[in-house]
Amino acid sequence: MKYSFANELSVAGDFRHVMSLSPTPVTIITAHTEEGPEGIVIGSFVSVSLEPALVGFFVGKWTRMWQPMNQADAYCVNILGEDQSHLSKLFITHGVDRFAEAEWDMAGNGAPVLDGAVAWIEARPYSLTDAGDHDLVLLEVTGLRSGRDIDPLIYHRGQYSTVRPSA
Ligand SMILES: Cc1cc2nc3c(=O)[nH]c(=O)nc-3n(C[C@H](O)[C@H](O)[C@H](O)COP(=O)(O)O)c2cc1C
């Protein structure tokens, strides 16, 4: 087994490789902004606190897709199902009208709800904390809904995958 101490890790190589071994969910966080509906694919989504109900994610400070969204007052976390990698690929693409190509609706809080997800979490801003070249965004949950009863889409070893029960 190759073993590296932290101070020997190369950020471009070993760091990315080792982190790719840890699977993440694939979510699209959406908001209604002054420029219309916006959305960004987020794998760092995590449940944070029950009281108050908080969820969080990390977003790159200079991510263009996040800029119109960071002042929004309402968000929807769309947790994608195993057959929705096409939506993730659509939402990382610049220069296309992503909301014209996706099926969606308006959530109770005004943020876009993407059809066919396994769950939706409506939320409002709670805090923003510096985290290196990313920010840690915490959102307070204002609504919860489960969707299709299928397995979630995950990202693992640099590709889309899903989960299966372990023995
Ligand atoms: C599966 C997956 C997970 C991602 N997770 C994150 C994330 O947690 N945080 C983040 O800032 N960007 C994440 N991204 C990248 C963003 O969705 C987006 O594509 C990228 O930041 C675009 O940057 P740009 O708008 O500056 O071109 C992820 C992309 C994919 C495909």
Side-chain angles (χ1 to χ4, degrees):
M1 181 180 80
K2 188 176 174 225
Y3 185 85
S4 298
F5 290 99
N7 62 6
E8 295 172 352
L9 288 173
S10 120
V11 170
D14 291 351
F15 185 81
R16 286 203 175 105
H17 169 66
V18 169
M19 293 306 146
S20 79
L21 303 178
S22 174
T24 66
V26 183
T27 71
I28 299 179
I29 298 186
T30 53
H32 192 73
T33 76
E34 288 178 355
E35 297 171 26
E38 293 285 351
I40 181 170
V41 179
I42 291 290
S44 55
F45 174 73
V46 68
S47 162
V48 175
S49 159
L50 188 57
E51 186 51 55
L54 300 177
V55 294
F57 61 95
F58 295 92
V59 65
K61 281 198 165 70
W62 298 284
T63 299
R64 284 173 293 161
M65 288 181 182
W66 176 246
Q67 302 314 316
M69 297 178 67
N70 65 5
Q71 297 298 324
D73 54 14
Y75 297 91
C76 181
V77 182
N78 300 263
I79 302 175
L80 299 190
E82 59 177 323
D83 57 1
Q84 293 187 301
S85 60
H86 61 283
L87 274 183
S88 176
K89 291 170 190 164
L90 174 65
F91 274 81
I92 59 172
T93 307
H94 285 280
V96 293
D97 187 349
R98 293 171 284 149
F99 284 90
E101 298 199 16
E103 301 286 321
W104 62 282
D105 216 326
M106 212 75 115
N109 69 357
V113 171
L114 298 173
D115 284 5
V118 297
W120 300 272
I121 300 164
E122 292 176 23
R124 60 178 169 231
Y126 183 82
S127 67
L128 187 91
T129 309
D130 174 74
D133 57 12
H134 280 55
D135 285 324
L136 166 60
V137 181
L138 293 185
L139 303 177
E140 183 168 11
V141 176
T142 55
L144 294 164
R145 193 151 57 96
S146 58
R148 286 189 301 154
D149 186 18
I150 60 168
D151 287 327
L153 184 65
I154 66 166
Y155 200 70
H156 183 218
R157 293 180 182 269
Q159 58 185 17
Y160 294 101
S161 185
T162 189
V163 292
R164 61 176 173 78
S166 136

